[in-house]
Amino acid sequence: MISAGPIAAAGAPLARRNPVAKLAAALLFSLLLIATLDPVAPAIAIAIELAVLPLFGIRHRVLARRAWPLLAGAGGILVTLVLFAADRSGPVLLAAGPVLVTQGVLVTALGLVLRMLAVALPGIIVFATTDATDLADALIQNAKAPARFALGALAAFRLVPLLEEEWRMISMARRARGVDAGRNPVAKLRLFASTVFALLVGAIRRGTRLAVAMDARGFDAGIPRTVARRQHFTRADTLLVVAAGALGAAALAVSVLLGTFRPLLG
């Protein structure tokens, strides 16, 4: 079953911070890393993220299990760029028939992959250490987000674990009707695509029913809503956001000092 709940250890100092503060810190840290194309700044950022991970109460092995689709996608991007990139500048590192790997290709591919990991990991850490209900309450109270948006996002987040179960039911139903790809890779790809489409259609229908049900219960009434649990934004939360910005800027500063900084624009 897909897990969407928090996996942080109880009592971890950063895991207890305000959800809006954690989200703002992750966004600020990630946005700073988008400014460069070199691999040095994101590599430093990943080292920082892994270093502070115990403060969030998450083990590295647990984070790897939660982030395995991201790691698989990063590996695929790296292989694709190394094999098919148009720019082949720099010294040749590997030449094996049609495969030509140069220093320029490798630096570009590593920069893209490391930047993707550095930008995505903070978001994974935030959602792995935050209860969805607390996040919705904090968005309404501290970020002044519309209740319709925050509660709708909460409802959608709660439905994520149902996707795996629905995928299994669709696959079992098709197998019961004799729809099986066997060992044919093309048939497997077609069956996978059709299953994804069926899952998407089911998700849209469920979302539509959920929206109608929420409107029927007055979630779009426009009347100020009360909250059961107060979410306080303290000085420690402000320090978390400031520290995230400082660490992101430090990673960029090291890249500039080493002469590897490659601006995204310009």
Side-chain angles (χ1 to χ4, degrees):
M1 179 68 68
I2 299 175
S3 175
I7 56 176
L14 294 185
R16 298 176 310 185
R17 298 273 60 86
N18 185 284
V20 168
K22 291 189 289 185
L23 188 60
L27 289 175
L28 180 58
F29 188 81
S30 301
L31 287 176
L32 289 173
L33 299 175
I34 299 178
T36 180
L37 297 174
D38 72 289
V40 175
I44 296 174
I46 293 174
I48 294 173
E49 293 162 3
L50 296 180
V52 302
L53 197 59
L55 298 178
F56 284 94
I58 304 178
R59 296 181 178 180
H60 295 84
R61 183 180 302 176
V62 176
L63 178 65
R65 287 201 299 266
R66 178 64 69 92
W68 71 264
L70 177 65
L71 299 176
I77 292 175
L78 179 62
V79 173
T80 302
L81 288 178
V82 168
L83 294 180
F84 303 108
D87 184 12
R88 299 288 173 176
S89 60
V92 177
L93 303 178
L94 175 65
V99 178
L100 180 65
V101 180
T102 65
Q103 182 177 350
V105 170
L106 191 59
V107 170
T108 302
L110 285 177
L112 179 60
V113 170
L114 291 176
R115 190 167 75 254
M116 182 185 71
L117 293 175
V119 169
L121 279 179
I124 295 176
I125 294 173
V126 168
F127 286 100
T129 60
T130 305
D131 180 74
T133 303
D134 291 338
L135 178 58
D137 289 340
L139 287 174
I140 296 173
Q141 299 174 44
N142 305 126
K144 306 304 180 183
R148 180 183 177 88
F149 165 77
L151 296 176
L154 171 62
F157 195 76
R158 293 296 189 190
L159 293 177
V160 170
L162 298 179
L163 294 178
E164 182 180 359
E165 183 64 26
E166 187 167 353
W167 179 280
R168 186 181 298 110
M169 291 178 60
I170 293 174
S171 300
M172 292 176 62
R174 292 187 171 185
R175 192 176 299 115
R177 294 181 177 91
V179 180
D180 191 2
R183 297 183 178 181
N184 189 337
V186 177
K188 285 185 178 181
L189 183 60
R190 291 177 178 175
L191 185 60
F192 175 82
S194 63
T195 306
V196 170
F197 180 76
L199 188 67
L200 177 62
V201 171
I204 293 175
R205 290 176 177 174
R206 186 183 294 110
T208 302
R209 291 195 299 266
L210 179 62
V212 173
M214 292 180 67
D215 287 344
R217 286 167 173 79
F219 282 91
D220 194 29
I223 301 175
R225 305 183 63 86
T226 58
V227 293
R229 295 185 294 184
R230 298 297 304 178
Q231 298 291 332
H232 301 284
F233 199 95
T234 64
R235 182 178 300 178
D237 299 317
T238 303
L239 291 176
L240 174 62
V241 178
V242 173
L247 290 174
L252 291 179
V254 172
S255 175
V256 172
L257 292 176
L258 294 178
T260 60
F261 182 77
R262 296 170 55 196
L264 179 64
L265 300 177

